[in-house]
Amino acid sequence: MLETEEKLHCEGCGAHLQMEDPNAIGYIPESALAKVPIICQRCFRIKHYNEMSSVTLNQDDFLHMLGSIASKKALVIHIVDVFDFEGSLIGGLQRFIGNNPVLLVVNKIDLLPKVSNWNRIRNWVQKQVKENGLKVVETILVSARKNQGFDRLLPAVDEFRQGRDVYVVGATNVGKSTLINRLIHDYSDLEAELTVSQYPGTTLDLVEIPLEDGRSIIDTPGIVYRHRMTELLPKRYIKSVLPDKAMKPMVYQLNEGQTLFFGAMARFDFIKGDRQSFTCYMSGGVNIHRTKLERADELFAEHKGELLTPPVLEDVEALPEWTKHPIRAKQGAETEILISGLGWITVNSTVGADLVIHAPKGVKVAVRSPLL
Ligand code: GDP
């Protein structure tokens, strides 16, 4: 019992502090009472985790880091973002990590419409994964933010690790920190503290979360993929470009010769085809503006960064110039176009259409079968 229990609250989360039950909210080990600020164990871990987890890597260092997993007995958790599946999948992962098993965790499923068919989505993911030459032991759909999917994730980690260390890998902004914060809460050996170690011969920081059997969950630095719109824009736009709740699909009936602008970040031209509808899955923070194709260049020149936002003018000008991606939605086929980090457009009919996507140079534009 804490003598002054009634008065003591965690300065982090406000929970009533207690020393009896390490699994209950507000738990604080006796030794931590002497420290300032007085915070519960969970807040302590999150605070220190966040301080340690902000490291990011470029492609070369990242591949080097992955390569060093090959010689270890590891379970690799690869986190991808369902909002940008193709943009967040680590190309060639299998080649670098040797024979270690991969558990694929697809995060942010809370962004999909509530009526989504989860089995269909899981099948879709598995098909994409196969096409990318990746072998996974299981695909798990989760929302780190909403705490969904952990009832399967935690048993799966136990099932597949078999005395291995668990390495968590992913691109930046997929929600790796959010997910690991959950794991720290749900999983970690409560006596242990987080530690930071380094790969031999490098300065790469790894955050280790000890497990009960002496092994660890190891958080690796995120890779910055410059083919994602989110990485090309200054950080302050993340909030408007990444959706923060279930997306509301926006349906546009278009005639050929019409254009949609997605803020001043990309443009969709319907060049040729019968009148048909297109559905945009994007953050509500992206202004979608419809115009005539013949007016589009002029409209962009006059209104980028004003009517067409985000971003604002000076940040539009800092983006790479646009490249055109001609796309033929084939007759009889279902087509969807992903603009990495920005969202996707589903072609609803199968009558066929000639389209052109304009996006800043380097941004990945992928054609796929519809996710939903
Ligand atoms: P990291 O760079 O991979 O560590 O990603 P963070 O954990 O910092 O998350 C990046 C962004 O995605 C933040 O804006 C998070 O709030 C958001 N995010 C993380 N997990 C989820 C999730 O499950 N659902 C949604 N909607 N957003 C998430």
Side-chain angles (χ1 to χ4, degrees):
M1 263 303 211
L2 294 175
E3 274 168 28
T4 49
E5 194 169 359
E6 269 158 291
K7 289 187 208 123
L8 280 181
H9 292 270
C10 168
E11 289 180 34
C13 62
H16 196 168
L17 290 170
Q18 52 90 14
M19 295 198 303
E20 286 79 40
D21 183 358
N23 291 311
I25 202 152
Y27 175 72
I28 185 166
E30 193 168 357
S31 58
L33 276 176
K35 294 182 188 158
V36 176
I38 298 183
I39 51 178
C40 72
Q41 188 164 58
R42 176 164 195 267
C43 286
F44 175 83
R45 291 215 171 100
I46 291 174
K47 175 166 174 276
H48 289 274
Y49 171 68
N50 287 342
E51 280 164 13
M52 295 185 283
S53 71
S54 56
V55 189
T56 60
L57 294 181
N58 64 28
Q59 179 93 4
D60 285 353
D61 287 342
F62 186 75
L63 295 182
H64 179 75
M65 186 275 293
L66 282 184
S68 67
I69 297 178
S71 59
K72 310 241 166 61
K73 242 189 123 214
L75 168 66
V76 176
I77 298 188
H78 177 9
I79 307 185
V80 294
D81 180 348
V82 79
F83 178 63
D84 187 10
F85 186 83
E86 289 82 348
S88 61
L89 199 68
I90 299 171
L93 177 67
Q94 203 86 59
R95 270 187 285 133
F96 296 100
I97 56 164
N99 291 324
N100 287 311
V102 178
L103 186 62
L104 187 72
V105 172
V106 181
N107 189 30
K108 305 197 190 176
I109 59 162
D110 58 294
L111 295 180
L112 301 179
K114 295 222 164 45
V115 292
S116 299
N117 177 338
W118 303 114
N119 275 335
R120 187 193 145 109
I121 292 167
R122 203 173 292 109
N123 290 339
W124 182 94
V125 168
Q126 277 156 358
K127 190 166 141 263
Q128 307 289 318
V129 160
K130 219 166 157 194
E131 280 169 17
N132 278 278
L134 185 65
K135 276 211 315 272
V136 304
V137 291
E138 188 168 333
T139 298
I140 302 179
L141 308 179
V142 307
S143 164
R145 182 185 283 174
K146 295 276 165 76
N147 212 0
Q148 287 171 297
F150 285 70
D151 51 342
R152 179 56 204 151
L153 178 59
L154 297 177
V157 171
D158 273 340
E159 184 180 330
F160 295 115
R161 71 187 177 90
Q162 312 270 347
R164 299 160 189 267
D165 282 330
V166 181
Y167 286 78
V168 185
V169 302
T172 50
N173 286 318
V174 297
K176 194 156 64 63
S177 318
T178 310
L179 186 120
I180 288 187
N181 267 327
R182 292 261 180 223
L183 293 179
I184 291 170
H185 181 47
D186 291 346
Y187 215 119
S188 160
D189 168 357
L190 286 150
E191 290 307 311
E193 291 190 355
L194 301 177
T195 56
V196 176
S197 67
Q198 286 185 351
Y199 273 113
T202 71
T203 55
L204 307 179
D205 285 343
L206 303 172
V207 182
E208 295 195 25
I209 304 152
L211 299 170
E212 280 145 16
D213 61 359
R215 315 299 298 186
S216 299
I217 293 181
I218 297 162
D219 180 23
T220 68
I223 181 169
V224 181
Y225 277 139
R226 309 260 316 152
H227 60 232
R228 312 185 78 186
M229 187 70 80
T230 31
E231 314 298 327
L232 289 181
L233 292 166
K235 267 208 160 41
R236 62 180 177 281
Y237 290 106
I238 295 262
K239 275 201 165 22
S240 41
V241 176
L242 290 183
D244 73 340
K245 50 181 186 281
M247 284 182 282
K248 290 213 176 72
M250 302 280 297
V251 183
Y252 290 86
Q253 294 286 339
L254 299 184
N255 294 317
E256 62 180 23
Q258 286 191 304
T259 286
L260 296 177
F261 277 98
F262 306 121
M265 295 174 287
R267 161 179 161 186
F268 173 95
D269 293 345
F270 180 18
I271 307 287
K272 199 162 173 22
D274 291 342
R275 178 179 169 80
Q276 56 191 286
S277 70
F278 301 92
T279 308
C280 303
Y281 292 87
M282 286 180 199
S283 156
V286 175
N287 290 311
I288 303 182
H289 188 88
R290 181 204 308 233
T291 187
K292 286 197 176 116
L293 176 59
E294 61 192 31
R295 276 260 304 136
D297 287 339
E298 192 187 321
L299 185 90
F300 185 73
E302 282 174 13
H303 295 292
K304 59 185 175 191
E306 298 162 11
L307 178 65
L308 308 176
T309 56
V312 300
L313 188 57
E314 61 175 14
D315 296 317
V316 180
E317 284 166 352
L319 284 173
E321 62 178 292
W322 286 6
T323 30
K324 293 185 193 174
H325 303 258
I327 289 165
R328 168 157 294 171
K330 284 201 215 102
Q331 206 177 358
E334 294 183 300
T335 307
E336 186 160 278
I337 303 151
L338 173 103
I339 307 175
S340 181
L342 183 61
W344 65 86
I345 306 112
T346 311
V347 180
N348 294 318
S349 81
T350 55
V351 297
D354 284 337
L355 310 165
V356 175
I357 303 290
H358 305 238
K361 193 164 177 220
V363 169
K364 185 175 216 156
V365 174
V367 179
R368 65 188 195 184
S369 61
L371 168 67
L372 297 171

